[in-house]
Amino acid sequence: MIINAENEKKLAAKEAVKLIRQGQVVGLGTGSTAYFAILEIADMVRNGLQIKAIPTSVRSRELAGKLNIPLIDIHAVDSIDITIDGADEFTRELNLIKGGGGALLREKVVAAMTREQVIIADSAKKVDKLGKFHLPVEVIPFAASYVMNRLKDLNGVGTIRQKDGSSFLTDQGNFIIDTDFGIIDEPAKLAEKLDAVVGLVEHGLFINLAHKVIMGQDNKTVIFNKPGYNT
Ligand code: 5RP
């Protein structure tokens, strides 16, 4: 069967936005799946939904602005009610790899502030174990070689992400090192080790941050909840 990833992304986005309630502060994700959620949210705003949104990237902020979604400064809130974001890979345990779009740092800050983190994905993103997608690691440019060597110590083979012939820069002006760790058997342990590397700003392992994954599959959606989370 030919899987239409774009249709699956749209289906997941349509389902996820149903969780948004009047008056909420809403985190807007980044990427081609989150894009569809932002379009849906803009429609809902046009039809009377009152929310305040916090985008996870300059790209999503520009899109939300163009679509007249009301925004609020992240410093004006203590928490975010719901965030709808994408992922590069997810497991049944709701561990994720994110950062394919380079927005992992702001995405993780927003996720950490969020009460209901909803991930939307097409069915190709579901894996038994993380690691086929190379883990994005955000690093300050000054520390790039040092961090690359520490990644090697952890059996990771890293490449600095390139765009248009030069190093890709994140919204914070950092580099991304896309790192091949092979199959990641113990993502929480690896995350802890990466957290300890000086100069490494953040990595794309999202452990224990997602409450729900809504996956498009063919013409329907499948929902995976964090154990004990059933709303
Ligand atoms: C951006 C991300 C995205 O959520 C992730 O890359 C998935 O993107 P897409 O929905 O385009 O497949 O983490 O930093």
Side-chain angles (χ1 to χ4, degrees):
M1 186 196 312
I2 297 168
I3 294 174
N4 182 344
E6 185 166 300
N7 188 48
E8 291 185 346
K9 289 175 190 193
K10 280 187 196 162
L11 282 175
K14 275 184 191 295
E15 193 61 32
V17 298
K18 292 181 191 164
L19 297 168
I20 299 173
R21 301 281 168 260
Q22 198 66 263
Q24 284 189 321
V25 175
V26 179
L28 304 177
T30 297
S32 61
T33 318
Y35 167 82
F36 290 119
I38 295 173
L39 295 189
E40 291 291 331
I41 291 168
D43 254 356
M44 291 161 78
V45 167
R46 267 195 297 278
N47 289 314
L49 177 72
Q50 293 185 2
I51 55 152
K52 299 239 180 294
I54 299 184
T56 51
S57 62
V58 171
R59 229 178 320 152
S60 292
R61 186 176 64 216
E62 285 172 357
L63 178 63
K66 248 188 243 156
L67 295 171
N68 298 317
I69 298 175
L71 303 179
I72 187 168
D73 193 292
I74 193 164
H75 303 299
V77 300
D78 290 332
S79 64
I80 296 168
D81 295 300
I82 181 169
T83 293
I84 301 175
D85 201 352
D88 300 298
E89 284 186 347
F90 73 94
T91 64
R92 182 64 196 87
E93 294 76 35
L94 269 52
N95 291 326
L96 320 172
I97 286 185
K98 285 185 54 54
L104 66 111
L105 177 55
R106 292 190 190 189
E107 288 173 336
K108 202 179 268 191
V109 173
V110 166
M113 292 175 69
T114 294
R115 282 200 273 266
E116 186 174 24
Q117 178 78 16
V118 180
I119 298 299
I120 49 177
D122 57 274
S123 57
K125 307 285 180 61
K126 183 165 185 300
V127 295
D128 289 332
K129 289 188 177 188
L130 300 175
K132 195 166 167 209
F133 191 92
H134 293 177
L135 183 70
V137 170
E138 181 156 348
V139 59
I140 61 164
F142 185 76
S145 307
Y146 171 77
V147 170
M148 197 85 96
N149 286 328
R150 298 296 71 75
L151 295 174
K152 256 188 226 152
D153 295 342
L154 298 171
N155 297 320
V157 180
T159 315
I160 296 182
R161 189 179 296 180
Q162 302 294 308
K163 192 182 174 193
D164 304 328
S166 40
S167 300
F168 170 86
L169 288 181
T170 68
D171 287 345
Q172 289 71 226
N174 292 321
F175 290 167
I176 296 279
I177 304 177
D178 291 304
T179 312
D180 183 2
F181 284 102
I183 291 302
I184 302 172
D185 283 316
E186 297 183 300
K189 280 197 180 152
L190 178 60
E192 230 173 80
K193 289 178 184 159
L194 295 171
D195 287 340
V197 177
V198 174
L200 189 162
V201 185
E202 200 42 88
H203 54 81
L205 282 170
F206 281 49
I207 310 294
N208 225 359
L209 284 170
H211 296 94
K212 195 186 276 295
V213 173
I214 302 180
M215 178 182 84
Q217 185 164 45
D218 306 326
N219 287 318
K220 59 181 192 322
T221 52
V222 183
I223 297 182
F224 301 90
N225 283 314
K226 183 175 176 170
Y229 189 84
N230 276 314
T231 57

